[in-house]
Amino acid sequence: MIPLHLFLWRKFEKYLLPATFPEDLPTGAGVAEEYFRLLQHSWFDSIDEGDLVSASEVLHEHAEIKHYRVWTGDQNQAEPFEVISGKSNILLWLQQQRPRLIASGRRHLVKTVLVGTHEFSFRAETVAGQQQSARFIGWIKLRDQLIYRYTVVPD
């Protein structure tokens, strides 16, 4: 059975442009599941476990990240907005961010995936402990089945 969160996009479908979510997408639920695995397991879980090399393997050589600060609860937080270009620069950026993430004990949890053609959006949260969480949304464009553009903003 397909997890419920993969089907939540249907209630938002009426607000989306037809070109963004064509009806003839092959096996839409399968594509959503594939993108969920790419994002949750290959990207976020690798980052959360400190395996930054594995996380960077899902990035296109010319990837670009636009990262708006999501978490506002600690003193040593990331810049409010950062643009990082190129796979090697993104890996260096992740290495710089890792000590802060370890200290906070944060985990990233993808809640919803909205599927398009070679692109998708998602809703997720970062959680630290039982009481602290911050929700965010993101948009990813793929090239050669790798993350080419990645934008994250607070929800």
Side-chain angles (χ1 to χ4, degrees):
M1 179 171 210
I2 303 293
L4 179 61
H5 67 275
L6 296 177
F7 292 105
L8 292 178
W9 65 270
R10 290 193 189 275
K11 70 179 182 181
F12 299 105
E13 190 173 34
K14 64 183 175 184
Y15 301 108
L16 303 173
L17 298 174
T20 305
F21 290 79
E23 291 185 24
D24 60 349
L25 254 179
T27 61
V31 172
E33 198 169 340
E34 178 183 334
Y35 290 171
F36 174 84
R37 281 194 304 271
L38 171 75
L39 185 61
Q40 182 64 63
H41 302 302
S42 300
W43 178 249
F44 285 133
D45 287 351
S46 294
I47 290 170
D48 292 342
E49 293 164 8
D51 189 357
L52 304 179
V53 172
S54 289
S56 71
E57 288 175 2
V58 301
L59 297 172
H60 189 275
E61 194 63 34
H62 303 290
E64 179 180 87
I65 288 181
K66 293 179 181 175
H67 187 271
Y68 290 83
R69 181 175 55 213
V70 173
W71 197 267
T72 59
D74 57 343
Q75 296 296 324
N76 300 315
Q77 34 193 325
E79 293 296 319
F81 174 72
E82 297 178 84
V83 177
I84 309 97
S85 298
K87 182 177 181 173
S88 59
N89 289 333
I90 294 169
L91 179 57
L92 288 172
W93 178 75
L94 287 170
Q95 290 168 340
Q96 292 169 350
Q97 302 303 313
R98 187 63 193 135
R100 183 175 51 81
L101 292 172
I102 289 172
S104 70
R106 287 183 218 149
R107 303 281 305 167
H108 297 83
L109 304 171
V110 177
K111 300 294 186 181
T112 307
V113 174
L114 305 169
V115 179
T117 305
H118 305 294
E119 64 186 3
F120 64 98
S121 60
F122 64 93
R123 183 178 228 171
E125 68 179 325
T126 180
V127 178
Q130 297 288 343
Q131 302 298 322
Q132 299 177 335
S133 70
R135 295 187 325 199
F136 61 99
I137 55 175
W139 175 78
I140 292 179
K141 183 172 178 116
L142 301 174
R143 183 175 283 178
D144 302 325
Q145 284 129 5
L146 298 169
I147 295 173
Y148 179 64
R149 294 288 183 257
Y150 175 93
T151 303
V152 172
V153 298
D155 185 1

